[in-house]
Amino acid sequence: QVQLVESGGGLVQAGGSLRLSCAASGRTFSSYSMGWFRQAPGKERDIVAAIIGSGRPTYYADSVKGRFTISRDNAKNTVYLQMNSLKPEDTAVYYCAADNFLARLRSAPAYWGQGTQVTVSS
């Protein structure tokens, strides 16, 4: 069982930056692929970025390439999403997710956090 808790969301002006954190419980954190998803009101929950256990990013959504960076610190059981050059279109609830298999993480992750709100004003 994996417990995930997101933090770092808030209100920021367009062009600003935020860093989201996801703290995970469990002794096997380094074996899990991790991802960030986001969901705007009335829309589907979409994947933003994914990273495998060794720390190599494997996916970024086209809408965030060059602006967002996913990383992890396995010693701290934490995954991060650094968000730069934020746009109003980035406004959403951001969720952390985990799965033992990268392919399943992309489609239907086994574990979810509660989410953290990110609001970008124009």
Side-chain angles (χ1 to χ4, degrees):
Q1 188 74 15
V2 177
Q3 308 291 329
L4 305 172
V5 180
E6 302 97 332
S7 63
L11 176 64
V12 65
Q13 292 185 342
S17 298
L18 285 173
R19 188 175 75 159
L20 306 183
S21 298
C22 175
S25 64
R27 297 179 179 179
T28 59
F29 175 75
S30 63
S31 69
Y32 282 86
S33 293
M34 304 291 295
W36 287 97
F37 293 69
R38 67 185 182 186
Q39 185 171 21
K43 297 185 178 180
E44 296 291 326
R45 187 175 299 185
D46 295 323
I47 189 168
V48 175
I51 188 168
I52 58 175
S54 64
R56 179 172 66 86
T58 62
Y59 176 81
Y60 288 106
D62 288 342
S63 59
V64 307
K65 285 181 179 178
R67 299 189 298 120
F68 290 11
T69 302
I70 188 170
S71 62
R72 67 193 294 162
D73 186 340
N74 289 340
K76 297 181 178 180
N77 277 23
T78 302
V79 63
Y80 305 96
L81 185 68
Q82 178 66 47
M83 305 184 294
N84 298 325
S85 301
L86 282 162
K87 305 174 180 179
E89 305 93 274
D90 297 318
T91 296
V93 177
Y94 283 71
Y95 297 89
C96 180
D99 202 288
N100 207 31
F101 298 95
L102 177 62
R104 195 163 63 190
L105 173 75
R106 294 283 303 274
S107 59
Y111 304 101
W112 290 98
Q114 294 298 310
T116 185
Q117 176 71 47
V118 172
T119 302
V120 184
S121 62
S122 60

